Each structure stands twice: as structure tokens, then as C-alpha cells.
Coordinates of all heavy atoms in Angstrom, one line a residue:
M1 N 9.8 2.9 -15.4 CA 8.5 3.1 -14.8 C 8.7 3.2 -13.3 O 9.2 2.2 -12.7 CB 7.6 1.9 -15.2 CG 6.3 2.0 -14.6 SD 5.0 0.9 -15.3 CE 5.5 -0.7 -14.6
A2 N 8.3 4.3 -12.7 CA 8.3 4.4 -11.3 C 7.0 3.9 -10.7 O 5.9 4.3 -11.1 CB 8.4 5.9 -11.0
V3 N 7.1 3.0 -9.8 CA 6.0 2.3 -9.2 C 5.8 2.8 -7.7 O 6.7 2.9 -7.0 CB 6.1 0.7 -9.3 CG1 5.0 0.0 -8.6 CG2 6.4 0.3 -10.7
K4 N 4.5 3.0 -7.4 CA 4.1 3.6 -6.1 C 3.1 2.6 -5.5 O 2.3 2.0 -6.2 CB 3.5 4.9 -6.2 CG 4.4 6.0 -6.6 CD 4.8 6.7 -5.4 CE 5.3 8.1 -5.6 NZ 6.1 8.5 -4.5
I5 N 3.2 2.5 -4.2 CA 2.1 1.9 -3.4 C 1.3 3.0 -2.8 O 1.9 3.8 -2.1 CB 2.7 1.0 -2.3 CG1 3.6 -0.1 -2.9 CG2 1.5 0.3 -1.5 CD1 4.3 -1.0 -1.9
R6 N 0.0 3.1 -3.2 CA -0.7 4.3 -2.8 C -2.2 3.9 -2.6 O -2.6 2.7 -2.9 CB -0.6 5.4 -3.8 CG -1.2 5.1 -5.1 CD -0.9 6.2 -6.0 NE -1.5 5.9 -7.3 CZ -1.1 6.6 -8.4 NH1 -0.3 7.6 -8.4 NH2 -1.7 6.3 -9.6
L7 N -3.0 4.8 -2.1 CA -4.4 4.6 -1.8 C -5.2 5.1 -3.0 O -4.9 6.1 -3.6 CB -4.9 5.3 -0.6 CG -4.2 5.0 0.8 CD1 -4.7 5.9 1.8 CD2 -4.5 3.5 1.1
T8 N -6.3 4.3 -3.4 CA -7.2 4.8 -4.4 C -8.6 4.8 -3.6 O -8.9 3.9 -2.9 CB -7.2 3.9 -5.6 OG1 -8.1 4.4 -6.5 CG2 -7.6 2.5 -5.3
R9 N -9.3 5.9 -3.8 CA -10.5 6.1 -3.1 C -11.7 5.4 -3.8 O -11.9 5.6 -5.0 CB -10.8 7.6 -3.0 CG -12.0 7.8 -2.1 CD -12.3 9.3 -2.0 NE -13.7 9.5 -1.5 CZ -14.0 10.4 -0.5 NH1 -13.1 11.1 0.0 NH2 -15.2 10.4 -0.1
I10 N -12.5 4.8 -3.0 CA -13.8 4.3 -3.4 C -14.7 4.6 -2.2 O -14.4 5.2 -1.3 CB -13.8 2.7 -3.7 CG1 -13.3 2.0 -2.5 CG2 -12.9 2.4 -4.9 CD1 -13.3 0.5 -2.6
G11 N -16.0 4.3 -2.4 CA -16.9 4.6 -1.3 C -17.7 5.9 -1.7 O -17.4 6.6 -2.7
R12 N -18.7 6.2 -1.0 CA -19.6 7.3 -1.3 C -19.2 8.6 -0.7 O -18.3 8.6 0.1 CB -21.1 6.9 -1.0 CG -21.3 6.7 0.5 CD -22.7 6.3 0.7 NE -22.8 6.1 2.2 CZ -23.4 5.0 2.7 NH1 -23.9 4.1 1.9 NH2 -23.4 4.9 4.0
H13 N -19.9 9.6 -1.1 CA -19.7 11.0 -0.6 C -19.6 11.0 0.9 O -20.6 10.6 1.6 CB -20.7 11.9 -1.2 CG -20.6 13.4 -0.8 ND1 -19.5 14.1 -1.3 CD2 -21.3 14.2 0.0 CE1 -19.6 15.3 -0.8 NE2 -20.6 15.4 0.0
E14 N -18.6 11.6 1.5 CA -18.4 11.8 2.9 C -18.3 10.5 3.7 O -18.4 10.5 4.9 CB -19.5 12.7 3.5 CG -19.4 14.1 3.0 CD -20.3 15.0 3.7 OE1 -20.9 14.7 4.8 OE2 -20.6 16.2 3.2
D15 N -18.1 9.4 3.0 CA -17.9 8.1 3.6 C -16.8 7.4 2.9 O -17.0 6.4 2.1 CB -19.1 7.3 3.6 CG -19.0 6.0 4.5 OD1 -18.1 6.0 5.3 OD2 -19.8 5.1 4.3
P16 N -15.5 7.8 3.0 CA -14.4 7.3 2.2 C -14.0 5.8 2.6 O -14.2 5.5 3.7 CB -13.2 8.2 2.4 CG -13.5 8.8 3.7 CD -15.0 8.8 3.9
F17 N -13.6 5.1 1.6 CA -13.1 3.8 1.8 C -11.9 3.7 0.8 O -12.1 4.2 -0.4 CB -14.1 2.7 1.5 CG -13.7 1.4 1.9 CD1 -13.9 0.9 3.2 CD2 -13.3 0.5 0.9 CE1 -13.5 -0.4 3.5 CE2 -12.9 -0.8 1.3 CZ -13.1 -1.2 2.6
Y18 N -10.8 3.1 1.1 CA -9.6 3.1 0.2 C -9.2 1.7 -0.1 O -9.2 0.8 0.8 CB -8.5 3.9 0.8 CG -8.8 5.3 1.0 CD1 -9.3 5.8 2.2 CD2 -8.6 6.3 0.0 CE1 -9.6 7.1 2.4 CE2 -8.9 7.6 0.2 CZ -9.4 8.0 1.4 OH -9.6 9.4 1.6
R19 N -8.7 1.5 -1.3 CA -7.9 0.3 -1.6 C -6.5 0.7 -1.6 O -6.1 1.8 -2.0 CB -8.3 -0.2 -3.1 CG -9.6 -0.8 -3.2 CD -9.8 -1.3 -4.6 NE -11.2 -1.8 -4.7 CZ -11.9 -1.7 -5.8 NH1 -11.4 -1.1 -6.9 NH2 -13.1 -2.2 -5.9
V20 N -5.6 -0.3 -1.1 CA -4.2 -0.1 -1.2 C -3.7 -0.8 -2.5 O -4.0 -2.0 -2.7 CB -3.5 -0.7 0.0 CG1 -2.0 -0.5 -0.1 CG2 -4.0 -0.1 1.3
V21 N -3.2 -0.1 -3.4 CA -2.8 -0.6 -4.8 C -1.4 -0.2 -5.1 O -0.7 0.7 -4.6 CB -3.7 0.0 -5.9 CG1 -5.2 -0.4 -5.6 CG2 -3.6 1.5 -6.0
V22 N -0.9 -1.0 -6.1 CA 0.4 -0.7 -6.7 C 0.1 -0.1 -8.1 O -0.7 -0.7 -8.8 CB 1.2 -2.0 -6.9 CG1 2.5 -1.7 -7.6 CG2 1.5 -2.6 -5.6
A23 N 0.6 1.1 -8.3 CA 0.3 1.7 -9.6 C 1.5 2.5 -10.1 O 2.4 2.8 -9.4 CB -0.8 2.7 -9.4
D24 N 1.5 2.7 -11.4 CA 2.5 3.5 -12.1 C 2.3 5.0 -11.5 O 1.2 5.4 -11.4 CB 2.4 3.5 -13.6 CG 3.3 4.3 -14.3 OD1 4.2 4.9 -13.7 OD2 3.3 4.3 -15.6
S25 N 3.3 5.7 -11.2 CA 3.2 7.0 -10.6 C 2.6 8.0 -11.5 O 2.1 9.0 -11.1 CB 4.6 7.5 -10.1 OG 5.4 7.6 -11.2
R26 N 2.6 7.7 -12.8 CA 2.1 8.7 -13.8 C 0.6 8.5 -14.0 O -0.1 9.4 -14.5 CB 2.8 8.5 -15.1 CG 4.3 8.8 -15.1 CD 4.9 8.4 -16.4 NE 4.9 6.9 -16.4 CZ 5.5 6.2 -17.4 NH1 6.1 6.9 -18.4 NH2 5.4 4.9 -17.4
S27 N 0.0 7.4 -13.5 CA -1.4 7.3 -13.7 C -2.2 8.0 -12.6 O -1.7 8.3 -11.5 CB -1.8 5.7 -13.6 OG -1.6 5.2 -12.4
A28 N -3.5 8.3 -13.0 CA -4.3 9.1 -12.1 C -4.7 8.3 -10.9 O -4.6 7.0 -10.9 CB -5.6 9.5 -12.8
R29 N -5.0 8.9 -9.8 CA -5.2 8.3 -8.5 C -6.2 7.1 -8.5 O -6.0 6.1 -8.0 CB -5.7 9.3 -7.4 CG -6.0 8.7 -6.1 CD -6.7 9.7 -5.2 NE -8.1 9.8 -5.6 CZ -9.0 10.6 -5.0 NH1 -8.6 11.3 -4.0 NH2 -10.2 10.6 -5.4
D30 N -7.4 7.4 -9.2 CA -8.4 6.3 -9.2 C -8.6 5.6 -10.5 O -9.5 4.9 -10.7 CB -9.8 7.0 -8.9 CG -9.8 7.6 -7.5 OD1 -9.1 7.1 -6.6 OD2 -10.6 8.5 -7.3
K31 N -7.5 5.6 -11.3 CA -7.6 5.0 -12.6 C -6.8 3.7 -12.6 O -6.9 2.9 -11.6 CB -7.0 5.9 -13.7 CG -7.8 7.2 -13.8 CD -9.2 6.9 -14.3 CE -10.0 8.2 -14.4 NZ -11.3 8.1 -14.7
R32 N -6.0 3.4 -13.5 CA -5.3 2.1 -13.7 C -4.4 1.8 -12.6 O -3.7 2.7 -12.1 CB -4.6 2.1 -15.0 CG -5.4 1.9 -16.2 CD -4.7 1.7 -17.5 NE -3.2 1.6 -17.4 CZ -2.5 1.8 -18.4 NH1 -3.0 2.2 -19.6 NH2 -1.2 1.7 -18.3
F33 N -4.3 0.6 -12.2 CA -3.4 0.1 -11.2 C -2.9 -1.2 -11.6 O -3.5 -1.9 -12.4 CB -3.9 0.2 -9.8 CG -5.1 -0.7 -9.5 CD1 -5.0 -2.0 -9.2 CD2 -6.4 -0.2 -9.6 CE1 -6.1 -2.8 -9.0 CE2 -7.5 -0.9 -9.4 CZ -7.3 -2.3 -9.1
I34 N -1.7 -1.6 -11.1 CA -1.1 -2.9 -11.4 C -1.7 -4.1 -10.6 O -2.1 -5.1 -11.1 CB 0.4 -2.9 -11.2 CG1 1.0 -1.7 -12.1 CG2 1.1 -4.2 -11.5 CD1 2.4 -1.4 -11.9
E35 N -1.8 -3.9 -9.3 CA -2.3 -4.9 -8.4 C -2.9 -4.3 -7.2 O -2.4 -3.3 -6.6 CB -1.1 -5.8 -8.0 CG -1.5 -7.0 -7.2 CD -0.3 -8.0 -7.1 OE1 0.8 -7.7 -7.3 OE2 -0.7 -9.2 -6.7
E36 N -3.9 -4.9 -6.7 CA -4.5 -4.5 -5.4 C -3.9 -5.3 -4.3 O -3.8 -6.6 -4.3 CB -6.1 -4.8 -5.4 CG -6.8 -4.3 -4.2 CD -8.3 -4.5 -4.3 OE1 -8.8 -4.6 -5.4 OE2 -8.9 -4.6 -3.2
L37 N -3.5 -4.6 -3.2 CA -2.8 -5.2 -2.1 C -3.7 -5.4 -0.8 O -3.4 -6.2 0.0 CB -1.5 -4.4 -1.7 CG -0.6 -4.2 -2.8 CD1 0.6 -3.4 -2.3 CD2 -0.1 -5.5 -3.4
G38 N -4.7 -4.6 -0.7 CA -5.6 -4.6 0.4 C -6.6 -3.5 0.4 O -6.8 -2.8 -0.6
H39 N -7.2 -3.2 1.6 CA -8.1 -2.1 1.7 C -8.0 -1.5 3.1 O -7.5 -2.1 4.1 CB -9.5 -2.5 1.4 CG -10.0 -3.7 2.2 ND1 -10.6 -3.6 3.4 CD2 -10.0 -5.0 1.9 CE1 -10.9 -4.8 3.9 NE2 -10.6 -5.7 3.0
Y40 N -8.6 -0.3 3.3 CA -8.5 0.5 4.5 C -9.7 1.4 4.7 O -10.2 2.1 3.7 CB -7.3 1.4 4.5 CG -7.1 2.4 5.5 CD1 -7.1 2.1 6.9 CD2 -7.1 3.8 5.2 CE1 -6.9 3.1 7.8 CE2 -6.9 4.8 6.2 CZ -6.9 4.4 7.5 OH -6.8 5.4 8.4
D41 N -10.3 1.3 5.9 CA -11.5 2.1 6.2 C -11.1 3.2 7.3 O -10.9 2.8 8.4 CB -12.6 1.3 6.7 CG -13.9 2.1 7.0 OD1 -13.9 3.3 6.7 OD2 -14.9 1.4 7.4
P42 N -10.9 4.4 6.9 CA -10.4 5.5 7.8 C -11.4 5.8 8.9 O -11.0 6.3 10.0 CB -10.1 6.6 7.0 CG -11.0 6.5 5.8 CD -11.1 5.0 5.6
S43 N -12.7 5.5 8.8 CA -13.7 5.8 9.8 C -13.5 4.8 11.0 O -13.8 5.2 12.1 CB -15.1 5.7 9.3 OG -15.3 4.3 8.9
V44 N -12.9 3.7 10.8 CA -12.6 2.7 11.9 C -11.3 3.0 12.5 O -11.0 2.8 13.7 CB -12.8 1.3 11.4 CG1 -12.5 0.3 12.5 CG2 -14.2 1.1 10.9
G45 N -10.3 3.3 11.6 CA -8.9 3.6 12.2 C -7.9 2.6 11.5 O -8.3 1.8 10.6
K46 N -6.7 2.7 12.0 CA -5.6 1.9 11.5 C -5.9 0.4 11.7 O -5.4 -0.5 10.9 CB -4.3 2.3 12.0 CG -3.8 3.6 11.5 CD -2.4 3.9 12.0 CE -1.9 5.2 11.5 NZ -0.6 5.6 11.9
Q47 N -6.6 0.0 12.6 CA -6.9 -1.4 12.8 C -7.8 -2.0 11.7 O -7.8 -3.3 11.6 CB -7.4 -1.7 14.2 CG -8.9 -1.2 14.4 CD -8.9 0.2 15.0 OE1 -8.0 0.9 14.9 NE2 -10.1 0.6 15.4
S48 N -8.4 -1.2 10.9 CA -9.2 -1.7 9.8 C -8.4 -2.1 8.6 O -8.9 -2.6 7.6 CB -10.2 -0.7 9.5 OG -9.7 0.4 8.8
L49 N -7.1 -1.9 8.6 CA -6.2 -2.1 7.5 C -6.1 -3.6 7.2 O -5.7 -4.4 8.2 CB -4.8 -1.6 7.6 CG -3.8 -1.8 6.5 CD1 -4.3 -1.1 5.3 CD2 -2.4 -1.4 7.0
V50 N -6.6 -4.1 6.1 CA -6.4 -5.5 5.7 C -5.5 -5.5 4.5 O -5.8 -4.8 3.4 CB -7.9 -6.1 5.3 CG1 -7.6 -7.5 4.8 CG2 -8.8 -6.0 6.4
I51 N -4.4 -6.2 4.6 CA -3.3 -6.2 3.6 C -2.7 -7.5 3.4 O -2.6 -8.3 4.4 CB -2.3 -5.1 3.9 CG1 -1.5 -4.7 2.7 CG2 -1.4 -5.4 5.1 CD1 -1.3 -3.2 2.6
D52 N -2.3 -7.8 2.2 CA -1.6 -9.1 1.9 C -0.1 -8.8 2.1 O 0.6 -8.1 1.3 CB -1.8 -9.5 0.4 CG -1.2 -10.8 0.1 OD1 -0.3 -11.2 0.8 OD2 -1.7 -11.4 -0.9
E53 N 0.5 -9.2 3.2 CA 1.8 -8.9 3.6 C 2.9 -9.4 2.6 O 3.9 -8.7 2.3 CB 2.2 -9.5 4.9 CG 1.4 -8.9 6.1 CD 1.8 -9.4 7.4 OE1 2.8 -10.1 7.5 OE2 1.0 -9.2 8.4
E54 N 2.7 -10.6 2.0 CA 3.6 -11.2 1.1 C 3.7 -10.3 -0.2 O 4.8 -10.0 -0.7 CB 3.2 -12.6 0.6 CG 3.5 -13.6 1.6 CD 3.2 -15.0 1.1 OE1 3.2 -15.2 -0.2 OE2 2.8 -15.9 1.9
K55 N 2.5 -9.8 -0.7 CA 2.6 -9.0 -1.9 C 3.2 -7.6 -1.6 O 4.0 -7.1 -2.4 CB 1.1 -8.7 -2.4 CG 0.5 -9.9 -3.1 CD -0.9 -9.6 -3.5 CE -1.5 -10.7 -4.1 NZ -2.9 -10.4 -4.6
V56 N 3.0 -7.1 -0.4 CA 3.6 -5.8 0.0 C 5.1 -5.9 0.0 O 5.8 -5.1 -0.5 CB 3.1 -5.3 1.3 CG1 3.9 -4.1 1.8 CG2 1.6 -4.9 1.2
L57 N 5.6 -7.0 0.7 CA 7.0 -7.2 0.8 C 7.7 -7.4 -0.5 O 8.8 -7.0 -0.8 CB 7.3 -8.3 1.8 CG 7.0 -8.0 3.2 CD1 7.2 -9.3 4.1 CD2 7.8 -6.8 3.8
F58 N 7.0 -8.1 -1.4 CA 7.5 -8.4 -2.8 C 7.6 -7.1 -3.5 O 8.7 -6.8 -4.1 CB 6.5 -9.3 -3.6 CG 6.8 -9.4 -5.0 CD1 7.8 -10.2 -5.5 CD2 6.0 -8.7 -5.9 CE1 8.1 -10.3 -6.8 CE2 6.3 -8.7 -7.3 CZ 7.3 -9.5 -7.7
W59 N 6.6 -6.2 -3.5 CA 6.7 -4.9 -4.2 C 7.7 -4.0 -3.6 O 8.4 -3.3 -4.4 CB 5.3 -4.2 -4.3 CG 4.5 -4.9 -5.4 CD1 3.4 -5.8 -5.2 CD2 4.7 -4.8 -6.8 NE1 2.9 -6.2 -6.4 CE2 3.7 -5.6 -7.4 CE3 5.5 -4.1 -7.6 CZ2 3.5 -5.7 -8.8 CZ3 5.4 -4.2 -9.0 CH2 4.4 -5.0 -9.5
L60 N 7.8 -4.0 -2.3 CA 8.9 -3.2 -1.7 C 10.3 -3.6 -2.1 O 11.2 -2.8 -2.4 CB 8.7 -3.2 -0.2 CG 7.5 -2.4 0.4 CD1 7.4 -2.6 1.9 CD2 7.6 -0.9 0.1
S61 N 10.4 -4.9 -2.2 CA 11.7 -5.5 -2.6 C 12.0 -5.2 -4.1 O 13.2 -5.1 -4.5 CB 11.8 -7.0 -2.4 OG 11.0 -7.7 -3.3
K62 N 11.0 -5.0 -4.9 CA 11.2 -4.6 -6.3 C 11.4 -3.1 -6.5 O 11.6 -2.7 -7.6 CB 10.0 -5.0 -7.1 CG 9.8 -6.5 -7.2 CD 11.0 -7.2 -8.0 CE 10.8 -8.7 -8.1 NZ 11.9 -9.3 -8.7
G63 N 11.3 -2.3 -5.4 CA 11.6 -0.9 -5.5 C 10.4 0.0 -5.5 O 10.6 1.2 -5.7
A64 N 9.2 -0.5 -5.2 CA 8.0 0.4 -5.2 C 8.1 1.3 -4.0 O 8.5 0.9 -2.9 CB 6.8 -0.5 -5.1
K65 N 7.8 2.5 -4.1 CA 7.8 3.5 -3.0 C 6.5 3.8 -2.5 O 5.5 4.1 -3.3 CB 8.4 4.8 -3.6 CG 9.8 4.7 -4.2 CD 10.8 4.6 -3.1 CE 12.2 4.5 -3.7 NZ 13.2 4.0 -2.8
P66 N 6.3 3.6 -1.2 CA 4.9 3.9 -0.6 C 4.7 5.4 -0.5 O 5.6 6.1 -0.2 CB 5.0 3.1 0.7 CG 6.4 3.1 1.1 CD 7.2 3.0 -0.3
S67 N 3.5 5.8 -0.6 CA 3.1 7.2 -0.3 C 3.3 7.4 1.2 O 3.4 6.4 1.9 CB 1.7 7.5 -0.8 OG 0.8 6.8 0.0
D68 N 3.3 8.6 1.6 CA 3.4 8.9 3.0 C 2.3 8.3 3.9 O 2.6 7.7 5.0 CB 3.4 10.4 3.3 CG 4.5 11.2 2.7 OD1 5.6 10.5 2.5 OD2 4.5 12.3 2.4
T69 N 1.1 8.3 3.4 CA 0.0 7.7 4.2 C 0.1 6.2 4.2 O 0.0 5.6 5.3 CB -1.4 8.1 3.6 OG1 -1.4 9.5 3.5 CG2 -2.5 7.5 4.4
V70 N 0.5 5.6 3.1 CA 0.6 4.1 3.1 C 1.8 3.7 3.9 O 1.8 2.7 4.6 CB 0.8 3.7 1.6 CG1 1.1 2.2 1.6 CG2 -0.6 3.9 0.9
K71 N 2.9 4.5 3.9 CA 4.0 4.2 4.7 C 3.7 4.2 6.2 O 4.1 3.3 7.0 CB 5.2 5.2 4.5 CG 6.5 4.8 5.1 CD 7.6 5.7 4.6 CE 8.9 5.2 5.2 NZ 10.0 6.1 4.7
S72 N 2.8 5.1 6.6 CA 2.4 5.2 8.0 C 1.5 3.9 8.4 O 1.7 3.3 9.5 CB 1.6 6.4 8.2 OG 0.9 6.4 9.4
L73 N 0.6 3.6 7.4 CA -0.2 2.4 7.7 C 0.7 1.1 7.7 O 0.4 0.2 8.6 CB -1.3 2.3 6.5 CG -2.3 3.3 6.5 CD1 -3.1 3.2 5.2 CD2 -3.2 3.2 7.7
L74 N 1.6 1.0 6.8 CA 2.4 -0.2 6.8 C 3.3 -0.3 8.1 O 3.6 -1.4 8.6 CB 3.3 -0.2 5.5 CG 2.5 -0.4 4.2 CD1 3.6 -0.4 3.1 CD2 1.8 -1.6 4.2
S75 N 3.8 0.9 8.5 CA 4.6 0.9 9.8 C 3.7 0.4 11.0 O 4.3 -0.2 11.8 CB 5.1 2.4 10.0 OG 6.0 2.7 9.1
S76 N 2.5 0.8 11.0 CA 1.6 0.3 12.1 C 1.4 -1.2 12.1 O 1.2 -1.8 13.2 CB 0.2 1.0 12.0 OG -0.5 0.5 11.0
K77 N 1.6 -1.8 10.9 CA 1.5 -3.3 10.8 C 2.8 -4.0 10.9 O 2.9 -5.2 10.9 CB 0.8 -3.7 9.4 CG -0.6 -3.4 9.3 CD -1.4 -4.4 10.1 CE -2.9 -4.2 9.8 NZ -3.7 -5.2 10.5
G78 N 3.9 -3.1 11.0 CA 5.2 -3.7 11.1 C 5.8 -4.1 9.8 O 6.9 -4.8 9.8
L79 N 5.3 -3.8 8.7 CA 5.8 -4.3 7.4 C 7.0 -3.4 7.0 O 7.9 -4.1 6.3 CB 4.7 -4.2 6.3 CG 3.6 -5.1 6.5 CD1 2.5 -4.9 5.6 CD2 4.1 -6.6 6.5
I80 N 7.2 -2.2 7.3 CA 8.3 -1.4 6.9 C 9.5 -2.0 7.7 O 10.6 -2.2 7.1 CB 8.2 0.1 7.3 CG1 7.0 0.6 6.4 CG2 9.4 0.9 7.0 CD1 7.2 0.7 4.9
Q81 N 9.4 -2.4 8.9 CA 10.4 -3.0 9.8 C 10.8 -4.3 9.2 O 12.0 -4.6 9.1 CB 10.0 -3.1 11.2 CG 11.0 -3.7 12.1 CD 12.1 -2.7 12.4 OE1 12.0 -1.5 12.2 NE2 13.3 -3.3 12.8
K82 N 9.9 -5.1 8.8 CA 10.2 -6.4 8.2 C 11.0 -6.3 6.9 O 11.9 -7.0 6.6 CB 8.9 -7.2 7.8 CG 8.4 -8.0 8.9 CD 7.2 -8.9 8.4 CE 6.5 -9.6 9.4 NZ 5.3 -10.4 9.0
H83 N 10.6 -5.3 6.1 CA 11.3 -5.0 4.9 C 12.8 -4.6 5.1 O 13.7 -5.1 4.5 CB 10.6 -4.0 4.0 CG 11.3 -3.5 2.8 ND1 11.6 -4.4 1.8 CD2 11.9 -2.4 2.4 CE1 12.3 -3.8 0.8 NE2 12.4 -2.5 1.2
A84 N 12.9 -3.7 6.1 CA 14.3 -3.2 6.4 C 15.1 -4.4 7.0 O 16.4 -4.5 6.6 CB 14.2 -2.1 7.5
E85 N 14.5 -5.3 7.8 CA 15.3 -6.4 8.3 C 15.7 -7.4 7.1 O 16.9 -7.9 7.1 CB 14.5 -7.2 9.3 CG 14.3 -6.5 10.6 CD 13.3 -7.1 11.5 OE1 12.8 -8.2 11.2 OE2 13.1 -6.6 12.6
S86 N 14.8 -7.7 6.2 CA 15.1 -8.6 5.1 C 16.2 -8.0 4.2 O 17.0 -8.6 3.6 CB 13.9 -8.9 4.3 OG 13.3 -7.8 3.7
K87 N 16.1 -6.6 4.1 CA 17.1 -5.9 3.2 C 18.5 -6.0 3.9 O 19.5 -6.2 3.2 CB 16.7 -4.4 3.1 CG 17.1 -3.7 1.9 CD 16.4 -2.4 1.8 CE 17.0 -1.5 0.8 NZ 16.4 -0.2 0.8
S88 N 18.5 -5.9 5.2 CA 19.9 -5.9 5.9 C 20.4 -7.4 5.9 O 21.6 -7.6 5.8 CB 19.8 -5.4 7.3 OG 19.0 -6.2 8.1
K89 N 19.5 -8.3 5.9 CA 20.0 -9.7 5.9 C 20.6 -10.0 4.5 O 21.5 -10.7 4.4 CB 18.9 -10.7 6.2 CG 18.5 -10.8 7.6 CD 17.3 -11.8 7.8 CE 16.9 -11.9 9.2 NZ 15.7 -12.7 9.4
A90 N 19.9 -9.5 3.4 CA 20.4 -9.7 2.1 C 21.7 -9.0 1.9 O 22.6 -9.5 1.2 CB 19.4 -9.2 1.1
A91 N 22.0 -7.9 2.5 CA 23.2 -7.2 2.4 C 24.3 -7.9 3.1 O 25.5 -7.8 2.7 CB 23.1 -5.8 2.9
K92 N 24.0 -8.6 4.2 CA 25.1 -9.3 4.9 C 25.5 -10.5 4.1 O 26.7 -11.0 4.2 CB 24.5 -9.8 6.3 CG 24.4 -8.6 7.2 CD 23.9 -9.1 8.6 CE 23.7 -8.0 9.5 NZ 23.1 -8.4 10.8
N93 N 24.6 -11.2 3.4 CA 25.0 -12.4 2.6 C 25.6 -12.1 1.4 O 26.3 -11.8 0.7 CB 23.7 -13.2 2.3 CG 23.1 -13.8 3.6 OD1 23.8 -14.0 4.6 ND2 21.9 -14.0 3.5

């Protein structure tokens, strides 16, 4: 099962709001997901991203692949860098 970290859209017409979720890559965008990690409001910008860092790092360590947009958002919070550092520390040990 290929697992992705991606956005699922909620909110009304022309006023999008997104949840950051972990989902099977075969499931539809707004359908089933495994776990909710946070939310994002694009009308406010990247500073509106609210995310559970522990859960994100856990899923990244398990091999979940973030979508391009989610990868950009996680990079702005520094989580991609944290994951890379923890991965290199594990490789050294």
C-alpha cells in the first residue's frame, strides 16, 4: 500500500480550506483517509498551517510520500529538514 501525505479540500465554493491527511494513494482526494495531521487555509497563507509535527515525522519515517504542495508547506515549517536530519543520524548509528 502506497501511503501519501496530501491535502483534502473542505470549505465552501471559492473559499477553500484544506486538511492535511495521510491516505492510501489509490483513494479519491476527498474520500477515505488514514489519519488527519492538521489543516491549512490558503487565503491566509503558509503561516496558517497547523500541523502535528510528531505525527508527520512518524509517517515520513514509515515511508509516506508528501505531495508537492504538502512538501512545500512542510518545508516552510522545517519538518522536511528535521526528517532528513533524523534519517542521517539513524544511518550513522
Side-chain angles (χ1 to χ4, degrees):
M1 175 167 75
V3 178
K4 290 263 199 196
I5 301 175
R6 63 184 182 194
L7 298 175
T8 183
R9 185 182 166 136
I10 56 175
R12 60 181 178 231
H13 182 68
E14 294 187 14
D15 188 19
F17 190 82
Y18 297 95
R19 287 185 184 145
V20 181
V21 298
V22 177
D24 182 359
S25 63
R26 297 170 293 182
S27 66
R29 180 191 73 181
D30 296 336
K31 300 296 179 186
R32 284 190 1 206
F33 59 87
I34 299 168
E35 185 172 17
E36 184 178 337
L37 304 178
H39 55 85
Y40 169 61
D41 185 0
S43 64
V44 178
K46 287 186 178 180
Q47 68 270 15
S48 71
L49 178 66
V50 176
I51 197 137
D52 187 339
E53 292 184 16
E54 282 184 28
K55 287 182 183 179
V56 170
L57 293 174
F58 169 77
W59 282 105
L60 288 173
S61 70
K62 294 294 182 186
K65 301 289 183 192
S67 67
D68 293 337
T69 305
V70 171
K71 190 172 186 177
S72 171
L73 292 170
L74 295 178
S75 294
S76 70
K77 289 284 188 179
L79 293 175
I80 298 294
Q81 182 69 22
K82 272 187 186 179
H83 174 63
E85 290 171 1
S86 66
K87 207 170 170 183
S88 66
K89 284 181 185 178
K92 287 181 184 177
N93 290 336

